[in-house]
Amino acid sequence: MIFFPAIDLKAGQCVRLVHGDMNQATVFNDNPAAQAKAFADAGCTWLHMVDLDGAFAGKPANAEAVTAVLSAVDIRVQLGGGIRDMKTIEGWLGRGLERVILGTVAVRDPALVRQACKAFPGRVALGIDARDGFVAVEGWAEATTLKTAELAKQFEDAGAAALIYTDIGRDGAMRGPNLEATLALAEAVAIPVILSGGVSSMDDLRAVMASDHGKLEGVISGRAVYDGRIDPRAAVALLAEAA
């Protein structure tokens, strides 16, 4: 199982939000490239990045910071936030990203997601962000009446590389992940699922491993890594046992 440390970008800085609220942002590092290198030096093989400003703007807004990260590390990087057309997808993948994460556009333009999955096999992931079981879009600011599994099933035959499921109510709140909902989604779809939101301790990682039974591809954690509750090197080693 893969451990994905998270770098969320706001105004070029590494931040963490609470419940996706841009007004509740804590800056943890003003040098994303240095932070990425620290994660790579700790043995992380993947990095999860989100362009928060881009998610709200509907277009990339932290390209300089992302490019600096890609230049600083050799590990695989996946990026979401504001990626909503083929030109942007092609541009990011051409600059060295391993995966783009498509979220809002999966609801707004599912045909584009299918086109991207076909054009770039294994390099397009779905980002499904949910509040109370329903998908939220536009940087989590807008709720829909679409249930998570309903959206995911639309793309089962599209060839998506992974499905990143974030429980907004748990994200940044340090209350533990919504493991039940994540595993239920993993049971419902054939796409590999990555858990995100609320992973706040090594005990949370152990709970994921104990309940997983081979269903999850990996786990994303942000705030807990920055405040020292989760040591990246230890997390990588622990989750490697579930491989």
Side-chain angles (χ1 to χ4, degrees), residues 36-48:
K37 191 173 187 309
F39 287 143
D41 290 345
C44 298
T45 59
W46 275 88
L47 176 63
H48 175 78

Side-chain angles (χ1 to χ4, degrees), residues 17-201:
L17 308 182
V18 177
H19 305 317
D21 185 350
M22 289 286 271
N23 294 316
Q24 296 189 62
T26 302
V27 177
F28 284 100
N29 196 324
D30 61 4
N31 189 332
Q35 184 63 64
K37 191 173 187 309
F39 287 143
D41 290 345
C44 298
T45 59
W46 275 88
L47 176 63
H48 175 78
M49 297 186 72
V50 178
D51 180 349
L52 294 172
D53 300 303
F56 282 90
K59 60 183 179 181
N62 282 283
E64 183 177 344
V66 176
T67 300
V69 167
L70 293 174
S71 297
V73 298
D74 292 327
I75 62 176
R76 297 175 176 181
V77 179
Q78 60 185 24
L79 172 72
I83 304 174
R84 300 183 189 173
D85 57 56
M86 189 59 78
K87 181 179 179 181
T88 304
I89 293 168
E90 292 173 347
W92 275 129
L93 293 178
R95 291 162 83 171
L97 280 179
E98 183 69 21
R99 289 177 182 163
V100 293
I101 303 167
L102 305 182
T104 294
V105 74
V107 175
R108 303 285 193 237
D109 189 0
L112 175 65
V113 176
R114 291 179 172 277
Q115 180 187 358
C117 288
K118 184 177 180 179
F120 302 102
R123 302 186 70 189
V124 177
L126 296 176
I128 296 186
D129 306 320
R131 184 178 280 113
D132 300 324
F134 293 93
V135 177
V137 295
E138 305 293 347
W140 302 356
E142 182 179 330
T144 74
T145 57
L146 190 63
K147 291 187 176 180
T148 55
E150 292 174 355
L151 178 61
K153 282 182 173 296
Q154 293 180 26
F155 300 102
E156 276 195 300
D157 61 348
L163 193 164
I164 297 155
Y165 175 71
T166 303
D167 186 306
I168 298 169
R170 303 295 181 97
D171 192 74
M174 310 298 285
R175 293 194 296 112
N178 189 337
L179 190 53
E180 181 180 359
T182 306
L183 291 175
L185 182 61
E187 289 275 11
V189 299
I191 306 168
V193 173
I194 298 170
L195 181 153
S196 176
V199 178
S200 57
S201 67

Side-chain angles (χ1 to χ4, degrees), residues 164-240:
I164 297 155
Y165 175 71
T166 303
D167 186 306
I168 298 169
R170 303 295 181 97
D171 192 74
M174 310 298 285
R175 293 194 296 112
N178 189 337
L179 190 53
E180 181 180 359
T182 306
L183 291 175
L185 182 61
E187 289 275 11
V189 299
I191 306 168
V193 173
I194 298 170
L195 181 153
S196 176
V199 178
S200 57
S201 67
M202 295 298 289
D203 283 342
D204 285 342
L205 294 179
R206 294 186 186 97
V208 171
M209 290 179 64
S211 304
D212 169 56
H213 306 302
K215 298 182 181 70
L216 302 179
E217 178 182 272
V219 178
I220 294 169
S221 184
R223 182 176 291 270
V225 174
Y226 293 101
D227 69 11
R229 294 174 187 238
I230 291 178
D231 174 66
R233 189 178 297 278
V236 169
L238 178 67
L239 293 189

